[in-house]
C-alpha cells in the first residue's frame, strides 16, 4: 500500500511545492513509484510539472482532460453525483519513469465549506456522512491503480478543513520551514493545532455513521518524520550568521515544544527509528540552501535542480562550473533526504 506523506506548514513561502517535486523525482530515481498530489488550489505543483505559466494554460488542461484532477475525482461525493468515486488517471511526469502527477484544481477550495460542516457535525447529518472519508478513499484508489509506493501531498498554507482532513488521513508528515521569525511562530501554532486535529480524527473514526459510510473515515495513524529547513543563504558551506540564528530557533522550539506535544498524542515514531537515520534531537531531516538561479532553470525545464543538464542550465565557463558544483550539492542533499524517508517508512518498521 502506498505511503502517504503530507508536506504541511500553514506558513507560506517555505518551498513545500519545490520540495515535493524534487523529492518525488529523487524517490522515483531510486526505483520507487511516486504520485505527486497537488492539493493546493494555487496549483503550483501542477504548473511546474506540466510547464504551465498561468490560469489560461490550466483552463485549457481542464477542458481537454476534465477528469484528470483532484476536484473531479471528489465530485461524486461533494456534488451528489450518481456514481462512485473512482481512481483518477494520473499524468506521467516527463523524463522520469515511475513519477506521476495527480493534478490540482483551482476550484478545489469550493469544497471547503461543505467539508468543514460535515467534519464539524461529525456525521450527525446522514447526507454528509460520506464526505470526511472521501478524500482518503480517492487517494487510496488512485494509489492502488498505479501500485504506487509513495504519495507526496503538497498542501496549501492554511488551517483549512481540507488540510485537516488530508493531514489526519496521511501516514506521515514533514514540516518544511524557512529560517525566519514566522516559521518559529508557525511551529508554535502547530503545537496547539495538531492535538486538536488529532483528537477530532480519533472521535470521527470512532463514530459508527462514519465507519459505515460508503467512504469510511480511517483511524488516524499519522507520524512525524521531521522538519526541513531551506531557503537560507550559505557562506563557505554553512548558513550565514543571520540565517543560522533562526535555524537554531526553529530547532529549539521543535525540540522543546513541538515534539513533546506530538509524543503526547502518539504522533511520533519510536525513538530508534530516528536514531537509525542519524537524526539528532532537533528532528531536522535536512537543511537545504537557497537554489538561487537554479530554481528558475528548474521551473522553465520542468526538471529538478539536481537533474538539469548543462544545456538546460545554459551558462558557460566558470559560471557553469560553479553552477554544476552547486547542483551536485543539491543532488547529495536530496538523495540523502530520500534515503532517510525510505528508511523511516519501510514496511517492517514498528508502529
Amino acid at each position: 500500500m502506498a505511503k502517504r506523506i503530507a508536506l504541511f506548514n500553514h506558513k507560506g513561502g517555505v518551498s513545500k511545492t519545490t520540495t515535493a517535486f524534487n523529492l518525488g523525482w529523487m524517490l522515483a530515481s531510486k526505483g520507487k513509484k511516486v504520485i505527486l498530489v497537488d492539493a493546493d488550489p494555487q496549483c503550483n505543483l501542477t504548473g511546474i510539472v506540466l510547464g504551465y505559466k498561468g490560469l489560461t494554460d490550466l483552463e485549457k488542461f481542464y477542458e481537454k482532460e476534465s477528469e484528470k484532477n483532484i476536484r473531479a475525482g471528489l465530485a461524486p461525493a461533494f456534488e451528489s453525483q450518481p456514481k462512485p468515486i473512482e481512481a483518477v488517471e494520473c499524468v506521467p511526469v516527463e523524463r522520469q519513469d515511475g513519477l506521476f502527477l495527480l493534478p490540482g484544481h483551482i476550484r478545489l477550495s469550493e469544497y471547503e465549506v461543505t467539508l468543514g460542516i460535515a467534519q464539524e457535525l461529525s456525521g450527525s447529518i446522514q447526507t454528509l456522512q460520506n464526505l470526511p472519508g472521501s478524500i482518503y478513499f480517492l487517494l487510496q484508489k488512485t494509489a492502488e491503480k498505479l501500485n504506487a509506493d509513495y504519495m507526496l501531498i503538497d498542501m496549501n498554507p492554511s488551517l483549512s478543513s481540507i488540510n485537516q482532513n488530508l493531514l489526519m488521513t496521511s501516514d506521515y508528515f514533514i514540516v518544511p520551514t524557512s529560517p525566519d521569525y514566522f516559521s518559529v511562530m508557525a511551529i508554535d501554532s502547530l503545537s496547539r493545532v495538531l492535538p486538536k486535529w488529532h483528537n477530532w480524527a480519533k472521535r470521527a473514526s470512532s463514530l459508527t455513521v462514519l465507519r459505515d459510510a460508503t467512504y469510511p473515515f480511517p483511524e488516524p495513524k499519522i507520524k512525524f518524520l521531521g522538519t526541513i529547513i531551506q531557503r537560507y543563504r550559505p557562506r563557505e558551506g554553512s548558513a550565514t550568521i543571520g540565517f543560522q540564528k533562526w535555524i537554531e530557533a526553529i530547532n529549539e522550539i521543535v525540540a522543546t515544544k513541538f515534539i513533546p506535544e506530538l509524543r503526547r498524542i502518539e504522533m511520533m515514531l519510536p525513538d530508534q527509528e530516528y536514531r537509525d537515520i542519524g537524526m539528532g534531537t532537533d528532528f531536522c531531516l535536512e537543511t537545504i540552501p537557497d537554489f538561487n538561479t537554479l530554481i528558475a532553470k528548474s521551473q522553465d525545464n520542468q526538471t529538478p535542480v539536481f537533474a538539469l543538464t548543462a544545456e538546460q542550465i545554459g551558462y558557460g565557463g566558470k559560471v557553469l562550473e560553479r553552477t554544476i558544483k552547486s547542483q551536485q550539492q543539491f543532488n547529495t542533499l536530496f538523495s540523502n533526504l530520500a534515503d532517510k524517508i525510505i528508511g523511516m517508512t519501510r514496511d517492517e518498521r514498528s508502529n
Side-chain angles (χ1 to χ4, degrees):
M1 183 180 292
K3 302 170 182 69
R4 307 179 194 208
I5 302 177
L7 285 82
F8 176 62
N9 189 338
H10 59 309
K11 176 194 180 298
V14 293
S15 296
K16 290 187 294 294
T17 300
T18 305
T19 299
F21 180 53
N22 283 267
L23 176 58
W25 190 293
M26 182 60 75
L27 286 168
S29 74
K30 292 177 180 287
K32 304 300 181 182
K33 189 172 286 187
V34 182
I35 300 174
L36 302 173
V37 179
D38 191 351
D40 185 347
Q42 297 179 88
C43 298
N44 290 327
L45 182 57
T46 301
I48 289 175
V49 172
L50 300 181
Y52 295 161
K53 305 301 181 184
L55 292 180
T56 301
D57 290 333
L58 283 171
E59 288 296 344
K60 289 179 180 178
F61 172 75
Y62 297 145
E63 290 174 7
K64 182 180 179 181
E65 305 285 0
S66 61
E67 299 301 311
K68 291 185 178 180
N69 65 77
I70 190 170
R71 183 180 185 276
L74 292 170
F78 281 84
E79 299 179 18
S80 301
Q81 296 178 355
K83 63 178 182 178
I85 285 177
E86 298 177 348
V88 176
E89 183 180 348
C90 295
V91 179
V93 177
E94 294 184 6
R95 300 184 301 283
Q96 182 54 70
D97 292 340
L99 185 61
F100 300 84
L101 171 72
L102 172 50
H105 199 288
I106 57 178
R107 293 175 55 200
L108 177 64
S109 57
E110 293 177 6
Y111 292 160
E112 283 284 359
V113 174
T114 308
L115 180 62
I117 292 171
Q119 293 181 169
E120 191 67 27
L121 296 175
S122 299
S124 59
I125 298 179
Q126 293 291 324
T127 56
L128 299 178
Q129 69 184 45
N130 286 328
L131 299 189
S134 61
I135 299 176
Y136 176 84
F137 187 87
L138 173 68
L139 297 188
Q140 182 181 43
K141 287 295 181 183
T142 302
E144 288 174 352
K145 182 175 181 178
L146 284 171
N147 193 27
D149 297 300
Y150 289 98
M151 296 187 104
L152 299 184
I153 305 171
D154 183 27
M155 299 162 62
N156 72 71
S158 73
L159 297 176
S160 67
S161 57
I162 289 179
N163 277 353
Q164 178 182 9
N165 189 293
L166 280 166
L167 191 67
M168 288 300 112
T169 56
S170 292
D171 300 304
Y172 307 95
F173 75 111
I174 295 170
V175 179
T177 66
S178 54
D180 55 36
Y181 169 81
F182 299 104
S183 281
V184 175
M185 292 299 97
I187 296 294
D188 180 72
S189 173
L190 288 178
S191 300
R192 295 187 295 274
V193 170
L194 294 191
K196 296 177 182 178
W197 282 10
H198 191 259
N199 287 338
W200 163 79
K202 288 182 69 175
R203 291 196 307 271
S205 65
S206 69
L207 294 174
T208 301
V209 68
L210 295 186
R211 284 203 313 268
D212 296 342
T214 302
Y215 312 122
F217 187 83
E219 180 183 355
K221 297 181 179 179
I222 185 169
K223 304 296 181 184
F224 178 59
L225 294 181
T227 62
I228 298 174
I229 303 177
Q230 49 204 334
R231 301 189 67 179
Y232 66 85
R233 187 172 301 131
R235 180 176 296 166
E236 297 180 356
S238 301
T240 59
I241 293 175
F243 284 108
Q244 185 60 36
K245 164 191 169 184
W246 292 112
I247 290 173
E248 292 173 359
I250 290 170
N251 288 338
E252 181 179 1
I253 195 167
V254 167
T256 60
K257 188 166 186 179
F258 193 52
I259 297 302
E261 282 299 307
L262 295 184
R263 288 193 194 284
R264 184 178 64 82
I265 57 176
E266 300 181 342
M267 284 179 62
M268 295 290 292
L269 293 168
D271 289 342
Q272 189 61 45
E273 300 291 336
Y274 300 103
R275 288 195 291 267
D276 285 347
I277 65 163
M279 184 180 284
T281 56
D282 55 15
F283 291 87
C284 181
L285 284 163
E286 198 63 77
T287 56
I288 303 173
D290 199 297
F291 293 149
N292 294 319
T293 58
L294 280 173
I295 187 62
K297 302 292 183 180
S298 171
Q299 292 172 350
D300 287 343
N301 292 282
Q302 299 91 62
T303 304
V305 291
F306 53 78
L308 290 165
T309 64
E311 182 180 1
Q312 288 173 325
I313 292 172
Y315 302 136
K318 291 193 177 295
V319 175
L320 177 60
E321 290 179 12
R322 289 196 299 270
T323 304
I324 290 177
K325 184 178 179 180
S326 176
Q327 184 185 30
Q328 291 169 343
Q329 178 190 11
F330 289 122
N331 184 76
T332 299
L333 288 172
F334 277 99
S335 180
N336 290 341
L337 176 59
D339 287 342
K340 290 175 182 177
I341 288 171
I342 292 170
M344 296 175 78
T345 61
R346 63 190 187 277
D347 290 332
E348 66 270 20
R349 76 165 178 84
S350 301
N351 285 315

